[in-house]
Amino acid sequence: MFTLEDLIKATAGKLISLGEEVFRGASIDTRTITENDLFFALKGSKRDGHDFLIEALQKSCGAVISKQADISFQNKTVVLVDDTLKALQNLARYLRKKFRGKVIAVVGSNGKTTTKELIAGMLSKKYKILKTEGNFNNNIGVPLCLSKIEHDTEIMVLELGTNRHGDIKELCEIVYPDYAVITNIGYEHIEGFGSIEGVRKGELEILPFVKTVFVNGDDGFLMEGLKDYKGEILTFGLGSQCDFRAEKINFYDDYVEFDFCTDILSFPVKTSLTGIYNIYNITAAAAVATFLGVSKCIVQKVSEFFNPVAMRGEIIKINGMEIFFDAYNANPSSMRVALEELARRKKTRKAVAVLGDMLELGEFAPVAHEEIGKWIHELGIEVFVGVGTFMKNALRYVKGEVFDEPALAAQFLKEQLTGSEIILIKGSRAMKMEQILDILLEQSKERGKR
């Protein structure tokens, strides 16, 4: 929430039409905008928000624009600025400086969104929180989130994303976090960073902005990058050296149990989230929550009833078939742990790995996809079906079928599956692996009617 006065002070904009003077938040999308929002007409590579200005003014309080429009402003508030994106970012920065609560920023190669949601879920039982929605973690999504700060907001939990050097620094110069959570360092966006060392350097751009960092203590490569950090380092993980630990982990068919431990407390945690990587996500969130005074009962309750974020580790069971759907994104690090989880869960069933290309790996892509083939073979996964050009490299080490389109892969699977398998579906978002899930679910429903 912000006022017209806030907007003018933050952007040095020119008021050209006066209407409402208090706004619930900023918006850039006329499909979801509400009457209490202020529309920012952003210019993209394919679309210009000014082309939707009439629709925006019909639905909202007004707009921020960067070029004059020969239309009626309908007694709505309209402010003219030089650059609408910079105006949105400057507004967010201004509101952050006024904010007197705490800001927690979550960064890392894998698990950011789930960890952020867990932290927000735990803290929300004690504090009034604001969080980034979904994975809106870039230089547009984060400022949009900050525009919704309310007078009684106590803590913001923000996911910060990066695919090149400077991204995290740019976001931190808007949000100025108090605490950082670093989930891990893996082979993400290698095309933009050039190397795994580049990934670490990019994620650790957050360090100069925070005095306390919660970090994966089992990630030796990450810990090495912190050797010169002068602030407080609090570690989470499975190792005995970690400040916040998951111990006595037991995996069952539909849930996992472990003890969350520190040097001064220990209590049991139960969760339906699958995979060892989610143990790290929960432990990271519990570390932050207990550090900020959240009770063990709240940590236990949120962990037990937390549902997987859409397309991130969902378990779907239908007519004897189990689908492990984790297709929001993929890089070598997340692909490895997903395959390990598939192997762990298969037991006496046939395991099927349906994998789409991992993108943004640059020259590392061919070798990375060869590794996929090695892992499938080593883990004893019986069936491999790939989608995309790079996945063909996996065939050097494992037998399988690779298709150019997800629909073709789905058709092949329809003809091969008996309905009793456990199936992992995973790939980079652009591979649209959800198409395969939709087709398999439809087939399973048809089988169930027979």
Side-chain angles (χ1 to χ4, degrees):
M1 180 177 290
F2 58 96
T3 66
L4 177 60
E5 181 181 5
D6 292 329
L7 179 65
I8 298 298
K9 284 184 177 180
T11 66
K14 178 183 178 183
L15 180 66
I16 57 177
S17 177
L18 179 61
E20 294 292 332
E21 297 186 49
V22 179
F23 314 101
R24 185 188 64 85
S27 174
I28 62 169
D29 192 339
T30 56
R31 294 169 298 182
T32 57
I33 199 168
T34 73
E35 62 180 358
N36 297 315
D37 288 335
L38 190 68
F39 179 70
F40 280 70
L42 300 190
K43 296 178 182 179
S45 58
K46 296 181 179 179
R47 293 186 176 183
D48 187 338
H50 295 84
D51 296 336
F52 301 89
L53 189 55
I54 293 177
E55 181 182 2
L57 290 173
Q58 290 173 342
K59 295 180 176 180
S60 69
C61 288
V64 176
I65 60 176
S66 61
K67 59 184 181 182
Q68 294 283 2
D70 188 20
I71 60 173
S72 169
F73 293 137
Q74 308 167 26
N75 297 318
K76 300 293 181 74
T77 297
V78 179
V79 174
L80 180 67
V81 298
D82 292 332
D83 184 312
T84 49
L85 176 57
K86 287 184 178 179
L88 176 61
Q89 294 168 346
N90 287 338
L91 172 64
R93 185 178 294 108
Y94 177 86
L95 296 175
R96 167 60 183 104
K97 289 180 178 179
K98 289 180 62 178
F99 179 61
R100 293 293 175 260
K102 296 180 175 68
V103 177
I104 301 165
V106 182
V107 302
S109 296
N110 303 109
K112 291 189 297 295
T113 302
T114 298
T115 300
K116 177 258 300 183
E117 292 291 334
L118 282 162
I119 292 172
M122 293 175 187
L123 294 181
S124 67
K125 307 301 181 184
K126 182 179 175 68
Y127 302 100
K128 174 69 178 292
I129 67 107
L130 175 66
K131 65 177 181 177
T132 44
E133 294 299 328
N135 71 320
F136 293 162
N137 59 16
N138 62 10
N139 64 349
I140 297 175
V142 173
L144 286 173
C145 175
L146 266 65
S147 76
K148 294 176 172 58
I149 297 173
E150 297 182 0
H151 67 90
D152 57 347
T153 300
E154 296 174 283
I155 297 178
M156 289 193 283
V157 186
L158 309 175
E159 176 183 338
L160 307 185
T162 176
N163 56 28
R164 59 180 175 82
H165 292 295
D167 284 346
I168 295 296
K169 181 175 183 291
E170 178 185 2
L171 290 171
C172 285
E173 288 173 345
I174 295 173
V175 306
Y176 289 96
D178 299 291
Y179 305 102
V181 180
I182 308 176
T183 60
N184 51 39
I185 300 296
Y187 285 88
E188 59 157 350
H189 305 300
I190 294 294
E191 191 171 35
F193 287 111
S195 66
I196 187 69
E197 289 79 11
V199 174
R200 181 176 66 184
K201 181 179 179 182
E203 297 287 2
L204 296 187
E205 289 174 358
I206 198 169
L207 293 181
F209 295 88
V210 295
K211 294 182 179 179
T212 300
V213 57
F214 296 83
V215 60
N216 186 332
D218 295 339
D219 188 331
F221 183 70
L222 169 55
M223 293 301 295
E224 181 185 358
L226 294 169
K227 60 185 179 182
D228 295 325
Y229 178 63
K230 303 303 182 185
E232 181 181 28
I233 300 174
L234 299 173
T235 56
F236 62 86
L238 313 186
S240 59
Q241 82 285 357
C242 293
D243 299 307
F244 302 89
R245 305 176 297 278
E247 298 180 355
K248 300 178 183 178
I249 303 171
N250 291 301
F251 292 92
Y252 300 95
D253 288 344
D254 296 313
Y255 63 95
V256 181
E257 288 182 336
F258 64 92
D259 288 344
F260 175 77
C261 303
T262 72
D263 291 340
I264 60 174
L265 64 85
S266 175
F267 57 84
V269 174
K270 179 180 179 180
T271 179
S272 60
L273 292 177
T274 188
I276 195 72
Y277 50 92
N278 273 318
I279 305 302
Y280 279 97
N281 296 337
I282 293 172
T283 304
V288 175
T290 54
F291 179 83
L292 294 176
V294 172
S295 71
K296 72 174 185 179
C297 294
I298 290 175
V299 172
Q300 290 171 317
K301 185 174 181 180
V302 172
S303 299
E304 182 172 2
F305 295 102
F306 183 86
N307 291 317
V309 180
M311 300 181 71
R312 293 174 173 88
E314 295 179 274
I315 300 295
I316 302 164
K317 297 181 179 181
I318 183 167
N319 297 330
M321 185 169 67
E322 183 174 321
I323 299 174
F324 176 24
F325 186 53
D326 190 37
Y328 191 85
N329 213 334
N331 58 48
S333 305
S334 65
M335 193 71 84
R336 171 80 191 193
V337 295
L339 287 168
E340 289 174 344
E341 179 64 10
L342 173 66
R344 186 192 70 79
R345 295 182 70 91
K346 80 183 190 83
K347 299 179 180 177
T348 60
R349 296 172 292 182
K350 181 180 290 186
V352 181
V354 185
L355 309 177
D357 279 354
M358 301 179 292
L359 304 179
E360 297 186 42
L361 295 179
E363 62 182 21
F364 185 68
V367 174
H369 288 82
E370 286 181 18
E371 289 293 311
I372 297 296
K374 291 181 183 179
W375 297 336
I376 292 172
H377 176 74
E378 292 169 1
L379 292 167
I381 295 168
E382 291 88 350
V383 180
F384 165 58
V385 177
V387 179
T389 301
F390 292 124
M391 271 300 165
K392 294 175 183 177
N393 291 279
L395 296 175
R396 297 181 183 180
Y397 294 94
V398 66
K399 293 181 180 179
E401 300 287 339
V402 179
F403 299 89
D404 293 330
E405 301 288 341
L408 296 175
Q411 186 59 42
F412 173 80
L413 288 165
K414 283 179 63 176
E415 297 168 358
Q416 299 295 318
L417 298 176
T418 65
S420 60
E421 296 87 351
I422 178 167
I423 304 165
L424 166 65
I425 302 177
K426 187 170 179 61
S428 286
R429 185 70 189 90
M431 299 308 296
K432 300 181 179 179
M433 300 298 284
E434 67 273 13
Q435 294 181 11
I436 297 175
L437 175 66
D438 293 341
I439 292 171
L440 293 185
L441 289 178
E442 186 61 34
Q443 181 193 40
S444 295
K445 291 177 182 177
E446 290 175 0
R447 280 179 176 165
K449 295 177 182 178
R450 295 171 187 169

